[in-house]
Amino acid sequence: PRQILESVSSVPLLPLPQVLVRFLALAEDDRRSMQELATVVAMDPAFAAQLLTIATSPPFSRNTVPLSLEKSLASLGLPLLRTLASCLAVQNLQLHPFYERNLDHPGFWCHSLRVAALARSLAEAAGYHDLEEAYLSGLLHDIGQLLLVGGVAEFCDTLPAAFGQEKGLSGLTQILNGVDPAKLGARLVENWQISSFMSDAVLFHKFPADQIGSADLLCRIVWSAHYLSGTDGEIMPPVDRLPDGPQISALLGIEPAAVERACVSSLARAAERAASLGLQMQMTQTAPPDHKHIYPFLSVPKKDTTDPAQLHLEARVRIQAVMQPLQQSLTFIAGAEDLIDSLSTASRMLFGLNRPVILLPLADRPVLAPAAGSGHPPLLSRLEMPLEPCPSLAAAAFLTQRPCSSFDDGDNQASSLLDIQLARLLGSDGVLCIPMSAASQQEGVMVFGLTGEQYARKQKLLEWMTAFAQSAAGSFVSFRALQKRDRLISADLTGRFEQKARKVVHEAVNPLGIINNYLQIFAGKLGDGADGQQEMAILKEEISRVERIIRRLNDQPGQPLPFESVNVNALIEGMLVLYGESLFEARKIDVDKQLTHGLPPVRADRDSLKQILLNLWKNSAEAMPSGGSFLVSTAFTGQESTGCQVEICLSDSGPGIPADVRERLFQPLAPNRRPANSGVGLSIVASLVERLGGEISCNSTPQGTTFTICIALSQKETA
């Protein structure tokens, strides 16, 4: 009992195969929503418990974990969900015969689904604030039963020794009788550290009727759902026995008729879900009086007389077959850190051990170093394992391409101080190092922290773990190949773009130069004192600015901007002369200027500053098609000790920026978000402000929007 309780979060839990098949099919379609996937997960207690265990553990957990399957699945992401589902498929193949022999799996599943549906219906009738919490509590109320079978499967090779081999099955029966399934289930939920009384509801669901009335409402709901879903062998809602049993209506504060309606509707809902998976919900059958979801005995395995070599060959073929889909699911992972996190999480689910450390060889020296990933102590990143000489188990596993462990008694090298340091960082007694290789190419080492007891139990899985490490190595090889392909494609596209840009520059600059020359001739004909000379000069300057922007298409990435001393007030005045009428006056927008007199110049690129202001002005004008007000102001801020800046504020009286846009304010919008616009204006503004070394902020309410830009003064002014 102690060992099972301590390892409860790593005990294998098998979803119903029909549910797993449905989920795998949906997960392959990128168009499926998290809500659709969560609906399938919510049909199986084992599947829900497995994914909630992962989602509430590092690196996916947050400070406050919402009790929501959809949000938990979203925190994992679709690529990792595919990988985890593949892991469950592998695990199902390993353990299904044991579960089939020792568990009435369909009966357990039907009972859990009925209790979940009824808990939700009763919660709705009682006005409970969170229906999903009630449903999940009902779904998982008997998860301890499944944990008990999984625990026996996990410990079946080592637990009989605690009672002496001569006791045989009686020893295992004693173990089963010594563990309270409700306590197991409650311990699992407690490990999630969620803000919910779900663990209490799981723990109390079989308490006496005269005690449950003092518990909170969620506990009373789950207790009532479990009672109404069948007791004393019945597997149908005992609505007709309500008068003889505890008064559920009084327990929940609802009318008896509401209880009966909840029973009928929830049973129909559970049957509908079962039918969608091709299963038939048993509603009238009655089990023997001593019926339990877990059989009270373990059957004696028959001696297998098959040739050992044949058994080994069949095992190898099976391992290769089931690992291939898992490796394929890992190819959907986009980033290196995401790949490492996915491998670590998958190995935890497959083998019931804490997240392993993945050591990779460095390119510049013969050393193994931890790969970047989440969920491990920061100090781990400072630990390196030299390959020459070979003082560590990790180095030995890498060089010999054989698993090495702190607990080996054979020819493997004894643990070094580096191994002890690594084990201490992982909070374990020792380490198991499994080499990662693909196509004779050494990729690294997967290091598990574990105890001696765990190592003894995992010996039967060593071949599976080695195959998983090989699949992980193949994933790294595929990832690098995809990266190389992406670099080649990117280089090719960049070359094509540069060639196209040179043509655009050549074809566009020529007519702009001609227009500029004609403007010069036209200005000469007007005479120096003629009206419109100022506008003509500004127009020429703007055409020259457009020409410079086009020429910059040929600039190399990272090329610095041509900074100069810029008079911000004069620049704003000139832009208002040129654009004020078309942007503001035509829309009946009143423009107010509050430009600080004697404002010192800033150090900036004049063209970039104009582009910033023009983009923001255009956005404000478009936000007020029926008129409004627009304020542009300048000010001098800061002190010599902290840095002096010029502040430009642009305020409009528009309706404000939508909340979904504010979340990604300075990133390009999706093409379908604003069909009439490119959706890149503010992203360009942000990048230009950054290149100027300035800062930009935004404050938007339904009454208007204000952008504030701060630019450093020129060096001459700050000297």
Side-chain angles (χ1 to χ4, degrees):
R2 178 186 59 82
Q3 291 174 318
I4 296 178
L5 277 172
E6 289 177 353
S7 304
V8 68
S9 62
S10 61
V11 168
L13 295 170
L14 295 191
L16 199 69
Q18 291 90 332
V19 175
L20 195 54
V21 169
R22 172 70 61 84
F23 184 88
L24 285 167
L26 288 178
E28 290 301 319
D29 189 347
D30 291 331
R31 297 168 297 179
R32 298 294 184 177
S33 66
M34 286 295 170
Q35 183 179 8
E36 292 177 279
L37 296 177
T39 299
V40 177
V41 175
M43 298 173 72
D44 190 279
F47 205 178
Q50 285 277 34
L51 294 185
L52 284 171
T53 298
I54 298 297
T56 54
S57 65
F60 309 106
S61 61
R62 302 293 183 263
N63 293 331
T64 57
V65 181
L67 188 60
S68 165
L69 270 180
E70 185 177 346
K71 291 181 180 178
S72 296
L73 265 58
S75 71
L76 297 175
L78 186 58
L80 180 56
L81 287 173
R82 291 191 185 110
T83 301
L84 297 180
S86 298
C87 289
L88 286 172
V90 173
Q91 204 173 59
N92 195 292
L93 186 63
Q94 291 175 331
L95 297 176
H96 182 70
F98 187 92
Y99 272 75
E100 189 177 45
R101 187 170 67 244
N102 297 284
L103 173 72
D104 176 14
H105 205 170
F108 172 85
W109 180 83
C110 289
H111 174 71
S112 299
L113 198 60
R114 280 197 306 272
V115 174
L118 184 51
R120 190 190 190 284
S121 296
L122 292 174
E124 187 174 12
Y128 190 68
H129 69 280
D130 192 334
L131 300 184
E132 183 178 8
E133 181 185 31
Y135 178 90
L136 288 176
S137 300
L139 185 71
L140 302 176
H141 81 289
D142 249 346
I143 195 68
Q145 297 267 27
L146 210 56
L147 282 168
L148 188 53
V149 174
V152 173
E154 174 77 358
F155 294 94
C156 63
D157 291 341
T158 57
L159 285 182
F163 296 90
Q165 293 292 343
E166 69 280 357
K167 290 193 176 182
L169 286 177
S170 63
L172 285 178
T173 302
Q174 186 175 348
I175 292 172
L176 288 174
N177 293 334
V179 179
D180 180 4
K183 187 177 179 182
L184 273 182
R187 179 67 63 87
L188 176 67
V189 178
E190 285 171 3
N191 289 341
W192 301 341
Q193 297 183 350
I194 54 179
S195 180
S196 170
F197 286 119
M198 182 189 290
S199 62
D200 292 340
V202 171
L203 183 62
F204 298 156
H205 79 273
K206 287 186 178 179
F207 268 47
D210 58 353
Q211 293 185 26
I212 196 63
S214 61
D216 83 299
L217 181 55
L218 179 64
C219 294
R220 285 179 277 141
I221 288 172
V222 174
W223 188 96
S224 302
H226 172 73
Y227 175 81
L228 293 171
S229 295
T231 56
D232 299 329
E234 292 189 5
I235 49 177
M236 61 175 292
V239 178
D240 56 327
R241 294 196 305 105
L242 273 177
D244 301 325
Q247 294 301 315
I248 303 297
S249 58
L251 193 65
L252 302 180
I254 57 180
E255 295 294 327
V259 177
E260 186 165 352
R261 286 195 299 270
C263 288
V264 174
S265 63
S266 61
L267 183 60
R269 188 180 302 115
E272 181 182 352
R273 291 200 166 189
S276 70
L277 296 174
L279 298 171
Q280 185 174 1
M281 181 75 74
Q282 296 172 315
M283 293 183 287
T284 57
Q285 179 183 349
T286 301
D290 61 347
H291 172 78
K292 294 182 179 180
H293 293 296
I294 294 179
Y295 298 137
F297 58 85
L298 296 175
S299 49
V300 181
K302 294 180 180 179
K303 186 176 180 180
D304 198 328
T305 57
T306 309
D307 179 28
Q310 178 67 26
L311 289 174
H312 183 69
L313 178 60
E314 290 178 1
R316 288 297 302 269
V317 172
R318 175 180 291 186
I319 290 173
Q320 291 175 359
V322 299
M323 284 296 173
Q324 185 176 6
L326 177 58
Q327 183 173 341
Q328 288 177 346
S329 72
L330 292 169
T331 61
F332 290 97
I333 308 298
E337 288 193 25
D338 291 337
L339 175 60
I340 291 168
D341 284 338
S342 297
L343 287 170
S344 299
T345 305
S347 63
R348 171 185 172 178
M349 177 173 282
L350 277 173
F351 309 120
L353 294 171
N354 289 332
R355 295 166 58 83
V357 175
I358 295 178
L359 301 176
L360 301 177
L362 298 182
D364 56 345
R365 60 186 190 278
V367 166
L368 293 174
S374 306
H376 290 302
L379 194 60
L380 186 64
S381 62
R382 296 170 52 183
L383 196 64
E384 294 184 346
M385 302 282 181
L387 292 174
E388 299 175 0
C390 176
S392 68
L393 293 170
F398 181 82
L399 295 174
T400 64
Q401 289 298 289
R402 291 187 303 167
C404 298
S405 164
S406 306
F407 310 101
D408 288 335
D409 297 326
D411 299 330
N412 284 339
Q413 184 175 350
S415 300
S416 68
L417 293 184
L418 274 175
D419 299 315
I420 295 174
Q421 281 186 279
L422 183 56
R424 283 168 54 82
L425 282 172
L426 296 177
S428 60
D429 297 341
V431 293
L432 169 61
C433 304
I434 300 181
M436 299 164 53
S437 60
S440 301
Q441 184 173 345
Q442 298 171 333
E443 292 294 324
V445 177
M446 193 172 285
V447 182
F448 294 88
L450 71 179
T451 65
E453 289 180 350
Q454 287 176 316
Y455 180 70
R457 295 199 306 271
K458 301 304 175 183
Q459 282 291 314
K460 60 187 177 183
L461 295 178
L462 192 57
E463 193 170 5
W464 285 92
M465 297 173 78
T466 302
F468 177 78
Q470 291 174 347
S471 295
S475 300
F476 278 102
V477 172
S478 300
F479 179 75
R480 285 199 304 272
L482 289 174
Q483 277 191 317
K484 182 178 180 181
R485 186 200 66 179
D486 290 344
R487 285 195 297 268
L488 292 174
I489 293 175
S490 178
D492 180 59
L493 291 175
T494 300
R496 294 184 185 184
F497 174 79
E498 290 176 349
Q499 185 178 11
K500 190 73 173 178
R502 285 192 292 270
K503 291 181 180 179
V504 170
V505 170
H506 180 268
E507 296 300 326
V509 166
N510 285 340
L512 287 174
I514 294 173
I515 293 172
N516 229 342
N517 289 336
Y518 270 102
L519 285 175
Q520 182 71 33
I521 295 171
F522 187 65
K525 291 181 179 180
L526 288 177
D528 294 338
D531 293 338
Q533 282 289 3
Q534 182 184 4
E535 290 83 351
M536 192 69 68
I538 294 174
L539 188 59
K540 284 188 60 184
E541 182 181 344
E542 288 302 296
I543 292 176
S544 298
R545 182 174 70 88
V546 173
E547 182 180 343
R548 290 193 295 272
I549 290 174
I550 293 175
R551 288 186 184 278
R552 283 180 190 164
L553 290 174
N554 283 331
D555 289 352
Q556 295 298 319
Q559 186 168 329
L561 294 171
F563 278 29
E564 59 181 299
S565 183
V566 179
N567 186 322
V568 173
N569 286 349
L571 184 142
I572 291 174
E573 293 279 12
M575 290 183 64
L576 284 174
V577 170
L578 185 61
Y579 299 109
E581 183 176 354
S582 60
L583 282 179
F584 302 116
E585 293 180 21
R587 292 180 169 87
K588 298 180 181 180
I589 298 172
D590 297 327
V591 178
D592 185 18
K593 296 181 298 181
Q594 296 180 8
L595 308 181
T596 300
H597 181 70
L599 194 70
V602 299
R603 182 175 178 271
D605 169 45
R606 182 182 300 272
D607 291 343
S608 295
L609 194 52
K610 282 186 175 183
Q611 194 171 354
I612 291 168
L613 294 177
L614 186 58
N615 270 294
L616 294 176
W617 289 7
K618 184 171 178 290
N619 286 351
S620 292
E622 291 174 350
M624 301 179 287
S626 302
S629 61
F630 180 76
L631 170 65
V632 53
S633 63
T634 58
F636 177 73
T637 64
Q639 300 175 351
E640 292 185 6
S641 59
T642 58
C644 303
Q645 295 178 318
V646 166
E647 181 182 88
I648 308 171
C649 287
L650 310 172
S651 302
D652 64 57
S653 61
I657 300 173
D660 61 326
V661 177
R662 287 201 302 270
E663 293 177 358
R664 305 175 67 251
L665 188 60
F666 295 112
Q667 302 175 29
L669 297 176
N672 59 352
R673 177 61 183 77
R674 297 178 65 186
N677 303 78
S678 64
V680 298
L682 288 180
S683 65
I684 292 174
V685 166
S687 63
L688 288 174
V689 171
E690 183 180 358
R691 291 188 69 185
L692 294 179
E695 298 177 351
I696 184 170
S697 61
C698 175
N699 180 32
S700 184
T701 68
Q703 288 72 45
T705 300
T706 298
F707 284 93
T708 303
I709 305 162
C710 294
I711 306 292
L713 299 183
S714 63
Q715 292 181 351
K716 179 179 178 181
E717 294 297 328
T718 57

